[in-house]
Amino acid sequence: MPRILFLIIFIAFCLSSGAQSVGLVLSGGGAKGMAHIGVIKVLEENGIPIDYVTGTSIGAIIGGLYASGYSTDDMIKLFKSDEFKLWSTGKLDKEDLYYFKRKDEGPGWVKLDITRKEDKLKVIFPINLIPERQMDFAFMQLMAQTTAACNGDFNKLMVPFRCVSTDIYRNKAIIHKSGDLSEAIRASMTFPFVFKPIEKDGTLLFDGGIVNNFPTDVMKDEFNPDIIIGHKVTQLGEKYDTEDLFSQIETMVTQITNYNIPDSIGVLLETKLENVGLLDFQKVDYTNKRGEETALAKIDSIKQMIARRVDKEDVKTSREAFNGRKPPLVFNNIQVEGISNDMQRKYIIQSIKLNEQVISVKQLRDSYFKLISDEQIKSIRPIAHYNKRTGFFDLHLKVEPRKPFDFEVGGLLTTQSSTFGYVETNFKTFQTMSYNFSANAYFGRFYNSFSIGGRMDSPTRKPFYISTRFTLNSWDYTATNSDIMFKDINPSYIIRNENNVNIEGGIPFVKTGVIDFGAAWSNASDKYYQTNFFDWGDEMDETKFSAFTAHIKVDQKNYDYKQYPTEGGRKFMSFRYIYGTETFTPGTTAPVMKNAESDHSYFQIKALYDQYFKLNNTFTVGAMGEAVFNNNTFYSNYTSTLIAAPAFMPTPLSRSKYIGNFRANQYFALGGKALVKISDYMHFRAEAYGMAPIMQFKADDNNLVSYEDKIFQHFYFSGMAALVIHTQAGPVSAEINYFDKQGQKWFFSLSLGFVLFNERAF
């Protein structure tokens, strides 16, 4: 009898232990949550079953990926990829910078939308630090096939799954158990002020950590497993960094959560991670290892609590079976939400489909990033719905157009004398075509300008644009000539004024290039002295040049930053024809007191190659070459000829200096760069350049101009060493420049902003 009783008890125990179900709860915590991967890896390797998963924020991402059929190795590979780095920072891949769509680069720091509300103009400030364009597309691409495989039912994922977001208006938790998986995870990880919240069914959704950062209660209510394993990476009571905004927000967001798991129902794992910030996703190896260590430290206790085992190969088989149910990610129909105008909706659909019946995810990606490069579009959130009838995905686009008016401010603050301010305003509208009208103004001692114009874009299968612009430019090199005290400087100073009207058209050339052609009419005036001996009351000599110019250029450009780039490059070639009339009027100190007039008809060819090569995560090198051939005849004197000649200006400071040695009608230039990465946004760079005029100008006793007898008689050096920090406003730099010239050769500067000007006619 005792043996029978023992047998019954043993069988009951086995049946009971065999029926044990296990739920895994994953907390939020930003980049610290990558330690969840290490925990999952240890549980799998030790045969511990994971029957259900709930998570918040980063816990929703890791849990959702696991439930979707991603292995721990897949997740590590994803977090270490260049693509994930782009998603988490909001930066566009250099291959997704559609140069064709971008207007001329200006020195703006911040752009603010302007709208009219209750008969008042209202400035709309950004509500998130990291643009969502990369992330929204990534979540759709990662999860669309998974949503199709489970038919929108999170119970039918490889592992049943729940995640939590916050209804910020009602301050309550939203439990996501069905629908689009990418939307659910995207809502759960929308950390306030960092990522833009999403609107779903009329409700604004934020990070679930605001109300429930550790959804143990959700696990019990939804799945009621026998055992709960919880992993927590957020430390309550941890002193936040007073200089780290993200850590302060994280502390406020996660205060009200209960992180306890009673011993009677499970086990709490806790990984304490120091020096891992909210967005330190590059520390994936470190956090993953720490997660493994946490799980291994308690694996014996977990095994004692959970008798049931699942072979790792069985998990792999289940994963492969689930992934095999995912249909190919190919798109057919497109619906657009957020746009009420039928013509605008047609513009967006045409920009995506380009008259194709079906499009692959690669084609969609190209069209998507081309469209969000459009000045008319503020954001697009793509959602994919699988259509069982057609066997393709229907693409649902939640589009937010930009406000018609925006206002941009910027400029350059520098210890040199070339400080200037900048303002710009734009009016945008689109129907079947896109239209942008803009005006800008520069104001400062060195540079002043005003420009107004417009551009029309067509989203046809072979897209094109047409633009026209009127510009007034004025450069006063007196303001930046810090070496005017030297008597051997010739000319002592220069004032350049120019106005032009241009019309251009362009078509795309690969993703990052444009073929541009156009014409312009220009009136220019250069005022200068031809002698070092003058009084401030003397009248300057003046050369005017009224000209027509036509050009064609091929420009391929994919720098990561518009000034001090660290990746990408530029390949440029242009052919330009110029015809104009020069008029010379002598001042009170001219060597030859005689008016002169002559016509000039010439062409100019320019080629540029500039490319960065990443050696490893710390070091990058760059190579640059530039060549110009210009067959212009001489102007009336040496000084005016030199001023009108093309200039080699490879560094920001060189663009605000008049340096005669680096001007010639024909020249070759070569340069090299070395960059040392200090952090994601800080680097040290050193640059060195050499420029050789093919034919050097020379002046006679009357300052008339001719060429020297031999070619390549001179070679001039310039260089720069700088510490650069890229900020949201623009680059902050401390730099030393060297120019091979008479007088002062070394220049030190501290700067914030961009040395970018409105274009001249040529």
Side-chain angles (χ1 to χ4, degrees):
M1 186 68 179
R3 291 184 178 180
I4 296 174
L5 181 60
F6 175 80
L7 184 61
I8 292 172
I9 293 173
F10 178 77
I11 293 172
F13 174 79
C14 291
L15 290 173
S16 174
S17 63
Q20 275 182 312
S21 59
V22 180
L24 179 64
V25 179
L26 305 175
S27 79
K32 297 175 184 177
M34 292 185 295
H36 297 323
I37 302 173
V39 170
I40 294 172
K41 181 179 180 180
V42 170
L43 295 178
E44 280 195 347
E45 288 177 345
N46 285 273
I48 305 300
I50 301 174
D51 300 301
Y52 312 103
V53 178
T54 62
T56 294
S57 198
I58 184 67
I61 297 175
I62 303 296
L65 288 169
Y66 184 74
S68 299
Y70 287 79
S71 68
T72 54
D73 288 342
D74 293 335
M75 286 187 267
I76 291 292
K77 183 178 179 181
L78 176 65
F79 280 100
K80 294 177 77 169
S81 68
D82 291 337
E83 290 83 358
F84 183 83
K85 182 178 179 180
L86 295 171
W87 306 340
S88 61
T89 60
K91 288 178 62 177
L92 288 177
D93 189 292
K94 59 183 182 294
E95 296 303 321
D96 293 323
L97 297 172
Y98 279 83
Y99 190 38
F100 168 77
K101 282 281 190 178
R102 298 160 70 191
K103 65 177 187 177
D104 294 338
E105 293 178 334
W109 295 349
V110 61
K111 180 182 288 188
L112 303 172
D113 287 334
I114 300 174
T115 189
R116 189 175 183 85
K117 192 172 183 179
E118 297 178 354
D119 296 327
K120 294 181 181 179
L121 290 179
K122 180 181 178 181
V123 177
I124 301 175
F125 292 93
I127 61 172
N128 53 292
L129 294 175
I130 297 179
E132 70 279 6
R133 54 202 175 186
Q134 284 273 15
M135 187 191 333
D136 286 345
F137 190 89
F139 275 118
M140 183 276 295
Q141 186 175 356
L142 284 170
M143 300 298 178
Q145 294 163 282
T146 300
T147 302
C150 73
N151 199 27
D153 183 351
F154 297 174
N155 288 324
K156 296 179 180 178
L157 291 166
M158 187 193 91
V159 176
F161 170 73
R162 299 288 186 269
C163 65
V164 181
S165 65
T166 301
D167 178 346
I168 195 70
Y169 180 74
R170 299 175 181 83
N171 193 32
K172 73 172 187 176
I174 301 296
I175 313 302
H176 297 273
K177 58 182 73 176
S178 63
D180 187 272
L181 184 60
S182 66
E183 275 200 315
I185 296 174
R186 170 71 172 82
S188 183
M189 52 72 59
T190 304
F191 201 82
F193 307 114
V194 179
F195 303 114
K196 184 179 179 180
I198 70 168
E199 186 177 348
K200 182 174 174 59
D201 300 327
T203 301
L204 202 62
L205 300 179
F206 273 95
D207 194 296
I210 297 173
V211 291
N212 190 348
N213 199 46
F214 195 56
T216 308
D217 56 338
V218 176
M219 176 63 74
K220 289 190 288 187
D221 294 342
E222 292 289 323
F223 301 119
N224 194 28
D226 298 307
I227 303 294
I228 294 177
I229 300 173
H231 183 225
K232 164 178 171 279
V233 295
T234 302
Q235 280 79 56
L236 281 177
E238 181 181 33
K239 182 175 175 57
Y240 59 77
D241 187 343
T242 57
E243 297 180 352
D244 186 344
L245 175 63
F246 292 152
S247 72
Q248 295 176 40
I249 297 173
E250 183 181 7
T251 301
M252 289 185 290
V253 163
T254 59
Q255 281 296 319
I256 65 174
T257 294
N258 179 4
Y259 292 95
N260 294 320
I261 297 179
D263 294 340
S264 59
I265 65 169
V267 59
L268 174 64
L269 307 178
E270 182 175 2
T271 302
K272 294 184 178 180
L273 294 156
E274 297 178 356
N275 301 319
V276 179
L278 183 74
L279 302 176
D280 286 341
F281 290 103
Q282 74 278 7
K283 297 181 179 180
V284 58
D285 286 333
Y286 168 70
T287 54
N288 176 60
K289 182 180 178 182
R290 292 296 307 278
E292 289 183 25
E293 292 170 352
T294 297
L296 286 170
K298 286 199 173 183
I299 194 63
D300 290 338
S301 299
I302 294 172
K303 286 181 176 179
Q304 289 178 3
M305 184 177 295
I306 304 170
R308 176 177 157 229
R309 297 290 181 267
V310 175
D311 190 88
K312 189 176 179 180
E313 288 302 313
D314 291 338
V315 176
K316 182 179 179 181
T317 300
S318 297
R319 181 175 292 120
E320 291 173 349
F322 181 78
N323 287 332
R325 289 158 46 193
K326 297 177 180 178
L329 194 54
V330 181
F331 300 88
N332 181 215
N333 297 315
I334 299 178
Q335 296 91 35
V336 177
E337 178 185 327
I339 300 292
S340 57
N341 186 304
D342 288 340
M343 303 299 282
Q344 293 179 342
R345 189 179 293 107
K346 182 178 179 182
Y347 174 89
I348 292 170
I349 293 174
Q350 173 62 24
S351 298
I352 293 287
K353 289 196 73 173
L354 300 174
N355 296 325
E356 298 284 351
Q357 289 299 313
V358 295
I359 54 175
S360 67
V361 69
K362 183 183 183 305
Q363 291 172 308
L364 173 62
R365 190 180 190 280
D366 292 344
S367 297
Y368 171 83
F369 283 106
K370 182 166 60 177
L371 189 57
I372 64 173
S373 299
D374 200 302
E375 286 288 310
Q376 309 290 350
I377 307 299
K378 185 174 183 179
S379 67
I380 304 175
R381 184 153 61 90
I383 302 170
H385 298 298
Y386 185 63
N387 189 324
K388 293 181 179 179
R389 181 179 59 82
T390 63
F392 299 113
F393 284 85
D394 294 334
L395 183 65
H396 190 79
L397 299 176
K398 294 190 175 183
V399 179
E400 182 181 357
R402 288 196 180 276
K403 302 300 180 184
F405 288 96
D406 65 52
F407 183 75
E408 191 169 3
V409 296
L412 175 69
L413 297 175
T414 176
T415 54
Q416 292 289 313
S417 301
S418 50
T419 292
F420 60 81
Y422 173 81
V423 293
E424 179 181 344
T425 185
N426 290 273
F427 172 75
K428 305 171 290 295
T429 185
F430 69 103
Q431 299 293 325
T432 53
M433 300 281 193
S434 171
Y435 304 92
N436 188 313
F437 305 94
S438 65
N440 68 51
Y442 293 72
F443 45 92
R445 287 178 57 201
F446 163 63
Y447 180 63
N448 289 273
S449 181
F450 172 77
S451 183
I452 187 169
R455 169 170 165 155
M456 180 192 75
D457 280 84
S458 169
T460 51
R461 186 176 181 84
K462 295 292 184 183
F464 66 89
Y465 73 83
I466 298 173
S467 69
T468 184
R469 198 151 202 90
F470 169 72
T471 302
L472 297 170
N473 285 311
S474 177
W475 289 268
D476 185 346
Y477 288 94
T478 309
T480 61
N481 200 354
S482 58
D483 53 10
I484 196 171
M485 67 187 73
F486 293 90
K487 293 183 179 180
D488 56 358
I489 302 304
N490 186 18
S492 293
Y493 67 89
I494 302 163
I495 297 173
R496 309 197 72 181
N497 294 298
E498 186 238 15
N499 64 74
N500 66 75
V501 177
N502 73 67
I503 182 168
E504 293 182 337
I507 57 175
F509 171 65
V510 297
K511 274 188 186 180
T512 57
V514 62
I515 299 175
D516 180 279
F517 42 88
W521 293 261
S522 170
N523 288 294
S525 167
D526 296 328
K527 293 184 177 182
Y528 50 90
Y529 290 107
Q530 298 182 61
T531 176
N532 296 319
F533 304 100
F534 58 88
D535 294 323
W536 290 105
D538 281 329
E539 186 177 340
M540 303 173 77
D541 303 334
E542 181 177 19
T543 295
K544 293 182 178 179
F545 188 55
S546 298
F548 165 81
T549 175
H551 75 269
I552 181 169
K553 67 181 180 184
V554 180
D555 195 359
Q556 186 177 357
K557 184 177 179 182
N558 62 350
Y559 294 129
D560 56 344
Y561 297 104
K562 57 186 176 182
Q563 190 167 296
Y564 306 112
T566 62
E567 294 180 7
R570 187 179 189 187
K571 301 176 185 70
F572 173 94
M573 178 168 282
S574 69
F575 177 88
R576 184 180 295 276
Y577 171 75
I578 302 103
Y579 175 81
T581 300
E582 171 210 359
T583 304
F584 170 69
T585 303
T588 55
T589 62
V592 179
M593 304 297 290
K594 181 180 179 181
N595 289 13
E597 183 175 303
S598 62
D599 291 335
H600 295 260
S601 177
Y602 63 100
F603 66 86
Q604 176 176 298
I605 299 173
K606 180 175 181 178
L608 169 70
Y609 173 86
D610 187 24
Q611 191 68 43
Y612 290 87
F613 304 93
K614 186 176 179 180
L615 302 181
N616 52 44
N617 288 332
T618 302
F619 297 102
T620 297
V621 296
M624 190 273 272
E626 184 174 298
V628 171
F629 182 84
N630 176 317
N631 71 337
N632 193 9
T633 54
F634 300 133
Y635 278 42
S636 57
N637 59 70
Y638 169 84
T639 304
S640 59
T641 302
L642 196 63
I643 293 172
F648 177 60
M649 300 179 290
T651 63
L653 186 63
S654 66
R655 296 176 204 135
S656 63
K657 297 286 183 185
Y658 175 86
I659 307 173
N661 285 353
F662 293 89
R663 290 175 174 267
N665 275 348
Q666 308 93 23
Y667 67 78
F668 289 101
L670 294 172
K673 312 171 194 183
L675 282 68
V676 179
K677 179 181 175 182
I678 301 171
S679 70
D680 283 346
Y681 300 100
M682 181 188 299
H683 72 274
F684 173 82
R685 65 193 297 134
E687 304 180 17
Y689 301 94
M691 181 264 203
I694 298 176
M695 297 288 289
Q696 180 87 33
F697 299 127
K698 67 177 182 178
D700 64 13
D701 293 339
N702 289 321
N703 209 40
L704 298 178
V705 61
S706 62
Y707 283 125
E708 293 187 348
D709 297 333
K710 297 180 180 179
I711 64 173
F712 294 121
Q713 282 193 271
H714 300 275
F715 195 83
Y716 301 106
F717 292 96
S718 66
M720 178 187 76
L723 180 67
V724 180
I725 304 172
H726 286 287
T727 71
Q728 292 289 330
V732 177
S733 66
E735 60 184 63
I736 297 175
N737 280 261
Y738 171 82
F739 300 109
D740 189 356
K741 69 182 188 67
Q742 293 176 316
Q744 184 178 354
K745 292 179 169 59
W746 294 92
F747 299 85
F748 173 77
S749 64
L750 296 172
S751 302
L752 164 63
F754 304 93
V755 187
L756 296 169
F757 309 124
N758 281 326
E759 289 190 358
R760 299 189 69 207
F762 38 83

